[in-house]
Amino acid sequence: MTLDAARDTDRSFLFVLGSSRADGNSEILARAAAEHLPADVPQRWVDLNELTLPDFQDGRHEDAGRRPGETEELLWRATGDATDVVIVSPLYWYSLSAQTKRYLDYWSGWLNVPGSDFKERMAGGTLWGVTAMAHDEHEVADGLVTSLNHSAAYMGMRFGGVLTGTASRPGRVRADERAMARAKTFFHQEAPLARFPYEEEVGAAA
């Protein structure tokens, strides 16, 4: 696995690319946003299509001693080392791509690796999303947004939201002026602690 990394600072970004197409619109939008991060903030970019990663098998009740394979361990450590994880996935059938969903499924396994402190390491970090879609009506991506928010809430992370853009043909997201403008400031906004809807309802009623 190739990880483009800079020197360590207090904050570091991991960009997880989950498109079925190289240099897709979601990646273009994510890289446009990443250009506006401070130069001393490390960035790592992982293309899930370049990894030999089998479908996740949930063996937590049958194989308590399971250890990650080499590729899985590299991805596990890259995820745990980042303060900010950016899920870059096109909107496929109004949700995350299969590659991206498989990556998040592996989080379940990493919670149960013997001696793992994965959840503790992720807590307090920030989860972000970037997605491109064919629709002009970006509310159709609400399912994807909900999935990422709830994943962040379970892990005790902050959620920075999802940067959305409209495009279908390769490279067309560059013509979405609103998306490209938002990309300039996307990672500079304050990310609140992610919460489940029932937690928000309890807080409002208190």
Side-chain angles (χ1 to χ4, degrees), residues 59-67 112-115:
R60 55 187 160 175
H61 300 298
E62 293 81 22
D63 186 10
R66 187 189 76 86
R67 300 295 304 182
N112 297 284
V113 171

Side-chain angles (χ1 to χ4, degrees), residues 107-123:
W107 286 24
S108 300
W110 298 340
L111 292 171
N112 297 284
V113 171
S116 170
D117 58 352
F118 182 68
K119 189 171 185 178
E120 290 75 11
R121 294 176 70 182
M122 299 299 288

Side-chain angles (χ1 to χ4, degrees), residues 47-117:
D47 188 341
L48 295 176
N49 284 312
E50 296 180 355
L51 304 183
T52 304
L53 194 67
D55 288 340
F56 173 68
Q57 299 293 321
D58 186 357
R60 55 187 160 175
H61 300 298
E62 293 81 22
D63 186 10
R66 187 189 76 86
R67 300 295 304 182
E70 182 178 357
T71 299
E72 181 187 343
E73 184 167 1
L74 285 171
L75 190 55
W76 167 38
R77 294 191 182 279
T79 302
D81 287 345
T83 62
D84 295 73
V85 177
V86 186
I87 301 298
V88 184
S89 169
L91 188 69
Y92 286 161
W93 286 107
Y94 309 103
S95 187
L96 298 161
S97 69
Q99 296 92 323
T100 307
K101 181 60 170 61
R102 179 174 58 188
Y103 163 69
L104 291 175
D105 285 347
Y106 267 91
W107 286 24
S108 300
W110 298 340
L111 292 171
N112 297 284
V113 171
S116 170
D117 58 352

